[in-house]
Amino acid sequence: MALKGFKTISVVGCASASTMTLTKKYFKFSGDTARELGYPQYIKFLINDKTKQIAVVATSANDEEAIAFPCKKEGEKQFAINIAHRAAYAAVCNMMHWDDTSRRMKGVLVPEEKAIIYSMEQAIVLKKEIVE
C-alpha cells in the first residue's frame, strides 16, 4: 500500500490568471477574468456551502440572476472590474464568518461551462498599508 494516504488531484478545471478580491464595498476582478469568460456583458454568482467556493459564470441578460459585467470588448485593454453586489457579499461573509477585511483568491477556469471557481478557504488576507 505505497499509495496509502494519497488523494486524487481534481482535474475539473485548469489554471487561471483570474483573481477576485473581496473588499468591503465590492468584488474586484482582474482584467484576465473578462478574457477567460469570453468578454461577457453579464455574469452570475453561484455559491457552494459545502466546498466553500464561489463561481462566476458568464450568462445572458435574460437570466434572472444576471449581473452587469462592465468589461471591455475583446482586443481592448482591460483593467480591474468592480461589481457591488450586497447579497453575494453577505452570502460569502456569512458562510466564511468573515469581517470586512479584504481578501484575494486565485481562480480555476472551467472553460466548457464559461465559469471561474474561487475557493474561499484559499483566500489571502490583504493587509492595509499604513501611510504616515
Side-chain angles (χ1 to χ4, degrees):
M1 293 305 275
L3 296 178
K4 185 177 181 181
F6 281 82
K7 296 179 183 178
T8 302
I9 297 172
S10 176
V11 293
V12 172
C14 55
S16 170
S18 172
T19 60
M20 177 180 73
T21 303
L22 184 64
T23 73
K24 183 177 175 180
K25 296 181 180 179
Y26 49 79
F27 291 86
K28 181 178 181 179
F29 297 95
S30 63
D32 293 310
T33 308
R35 179 182 49 78
E36 291 180 357
L37 292 175
Y39 301 94
Q41 295 303 299
Y42 296 91
I43 61 162
K44 65 180 173 181
F45 289 111
L46 303 176
I47 194 164
N48 186 325
D49 294 335
K50 292 180 183 172
T51 62
K52 307 290 191 224
Q53 293 175 313
I54 188 168
V56 176
V57 182
T59 192
S60 69
N62 299 333
D63 189 323
E64 287 182 12
E65 304 298 326
I67 302 162
F69 193 65
C71 67
K72 305 270 186 182
K73 294 178 182 173
E74 187 171 359
E76 295 180 5
K77 181 78 172 160
Q78 179 66 63
F79 296 101
I81 302 161
N82 297 327
I83 297 178
H85 194 285
R86 290 184 184 183
Y89 177 83
V92 170
C93 290
N94 288 337
M95 176 178 69
M96 299 304 296
H97 307 289
W98 284 348
D99 58 16
D100 61 2
T101 303
S102 294
R103 292 171 169 82
R104 179 172 296 136
M105 293 130 268
K106 292 183 179 181
V108 174
L109 177 63
V110 185
E112 61 275 7
E113 299 200 31
K114 292 187 178 181
I116 301 175
I117 300 171
Y118 304 90
S119 176
M120 300 296 112
E121 291 179 327
Q122 295 177 358
I124 298 168
V125 174
L126 301 179
K127 296 180 181 173
K128 296 179 183 175
E129 291 185 23
I130 301 172
V131 180
E132 295 183 28

